[in-house]
Amino acid sequence: MDRTYRCLTCLEHTLSRGFDTSHLSVTCPVCGSFERFVNESVFEQFRAFEESPPESLEWSTLERGERLMISEAVARRGRSIEAFSIER
């Protein structure tokens, strides 16, 4: 089964691969950046949290990379959002 990955720079281009990993690093043919292509399941979880931020976290204070790491842990590792806490 092919998996879909999305460019994190332009968010436009997707590509498919026959393996399952959290992300790929390749040059995007649309925007030209050498960037991460994130697994579509992680991106969907990230987008869901962006639209409806988790109440247990101060989502807006997190950097994009932190939000993606949390989304990856929830979408791919089955971690609960309540397992995360923010220490600043």
Side-chain angles (χ1 to χ4, degrees), residues 16 30 32 39 43 47 49 52 58 64 69 73-74 76 80 83 85-86 88:
S16 295
V30 173
N39 186 300
F43 182 70
R47 204 168 49 196
F49 284 153
S52 181
E58 295 176 25
R64 185 178 189 210
M69 287 189 328
V74 170
R76 293 183 44 83
S80 168
S85 63
I86 305 301
R88 302 264 178 203

Side-chain angles (χ1 to χ4, degrees), residues 23-35:
H23 67 277
L24 308 170
S25 293
V26 297
T27 301
C28 178
V30 173
C31 68
S33 67
F34 183 75
E35 184 59 78

Side-chain angles (χ1 to χ4, degrees), residues 43-54 59 67 71:
F43 182 70
E44 288 173 6
Q45 183 64 68
F46 172 79
R47 204 168 49 196
F49 284 153
E50 290 286 290
E51 291 174 7
S52 181
W59 189 255
R67 290 182 283 186
S71 298

